[in-house]
Amino acid sequence: MDCRTASMLLQPCFDGELDEGTAASVRAHIAACADCAREMAALQALRDAMKRSVPRYTAPQSLRDRLKQPIPSAGPAAAPLRPARRFPPPWLAIAASLLLAASLGAGLAWRWGPAGPAPAASELLLHDLVSSHLRAVAASSSVDVLSSDRHTVRPWFAGKVEVAPPAIDLSAQGFELVGGRVDYVGARRVAVLVYKHGQHVIDLFVLPEDTPGMTGGEATAGAVMRQGLSLVHRRVGDVQAWAVSDLDSKELAAFGDALAGAH
Ligand SMILES: [Zn+2]
């Protein structure tokens, strides 16, 4: 297993979501690779910090007793089963916002990678973007509305997200719009436009201005790297956007520039 593959599998491995064979391969790689071992240690440090910072509450005895009662059989008025959704469950959003609050409140000293101290909120934003991207790529379909027609994609988001995405045609520059989806960043639903460049998928997250960790109007000139993925921040017209991809960092920066220039 190479570093790129290992890096993408670290988080699911840490969360115990891999089959035993794949997990063993990841562990074998970590045992032999200092870089990946460091990333795994950062995940462990984050989990430890969460355990220390987030308060735990013990349920009162009355509630515990009630939970042990047999569940009454469902009558005809029982709520219908909801269809399975691939959005993260609400507890995940709650956990994410608790973590954010905890890290801001406690001045969580947490390092991501060897590049020195990182501001917690913007690191958590990058972490969220990477997680959303990996979750979508791992899902059978990473696109909710499948269309290369930006006039179809943009209206599809109406009423679903706070900030409507600027659906920009970049096919002339080699970046093909394939559709979009609604995803979570922190506890918020945001629009994601999905582009393709060759075999590479680019997720373009369109974020509200007041997203924690968002750096005002500034944009990163080059790409930043996290878990083997490239991330680029651009202001596109009057919205803030982050692109995430396994594309080479220079190519993703070119995508960002094309995007910013096209508006
Ligand atoms: Zn490695």
Side-chain angles (χ1 to χ4, degrees):
M1 180 175 288
D2 60 10
C3 272
R4 193 181 184 87
T5 309
S7 191
M8 292 181 75
L9 292 173
L10 279 180
Q11 180 83 53
C13 181
F14 185 67
D15 293 336
E17 291 167 353
L18 297 179
D19 63 87
E20 195 37 52
T22 312
S25 306
V26 174
R27 283 195 294 271
H29 178 87
I30 289 169
C33 171
D35 285 344
C36 292
R38 194 157 44 229
E39 284 205 44
M40 191 58 126
L43 291 175
Q44 186 63 52
L46 176 61
R47 177 170 291 178
D48 292 346
M50 271 182 83
K51 277 188 184 151
R52 282 196 304 274
S53 311
V54 179
R56 284 165 177 268
Y57 299 102
T58 306
Q61 190 59 45
S62 58
L63 175 60
R64 279 187 270 177
D65 290 344
R66 269 215 328 272
L67 289 174
K68 287 180 193 152
Q69 302 287 316
I71 298 166
S73 62
L81 282 174
R82 301 223 328 256
R85 308 181 61 171
R86 61 174 193 79
F87 289 129
W91 61 261
L92 189 57
I94 293 167
S97 45
L98 276 177
L99 170 60
L100 188 59
S103 63
L104 292 174
L108 174 62
W110 170 54
R111 285 160 170 253
W112 183 289
S122 54
E123 273 309 317
L124 285 172
L125 173 60
L126 294 180
H127 183 258
D128 265 356
L129 296 173
V130 166
S131 300
S132 295
H133 176 79
L134 291 178
R135 196 167 55 227
V137 170
S140 52
S141 167
S142 63
V143 181
D144 289 336
V145 53
L146 189 65
S147 173
S148 58
D149 179 2
R150 60 204 168 112
H151 302 294
T152 309
V153 173
R154 193 178 146 89
W156 180 83
F157 284 103
K160 295 187 175 77
V161 292
E162 291 171 53
V163 181
I168 294 170
D169 183 4
L170 296 174
S171 50
Q173 289 93 330
F175 303 102
E176 188 201 348
L177 179 67
V178 294
R181 69 173 187 278
V182 173
D183 212 326
Y184 280 83
V185 170
R188 292 166 104 160
R189 291 158 66 89
V190 301
V192 184
L193 294 175
V194 183
Y195 288 85
K196 271 203 167 167
H197 183 67
Q199 290 303 304
H200 301 277
V201 175
I202 304 170
D203 276 346
L204 183 72
F205 292 81
V206 180
L207 301 176
E209 291 281 347
D210 60 343
T211 302
M214 186 63 92
T215 53
E218 303 162 39
T220 52
V224 293
M225 302 293 296
R226 291 295 181 275
Q227 291 186 255
L229 295 170
S230 310
L231 297 99
V232 160
H233 175 214
R234 287 287 181 277
R235 173 168 276 283
V236 183
D238 56 357
V239 305
Q240 299 276 6
W242 271 98
V244 184
S245 178
D246 64 344
L247 264 184
D248 157 73
S249 58
K250 282 208 181 89
E251 284 187 288
L252 191 63
F255 168 78
D257 292 340
L259 196 70
H263 208 271

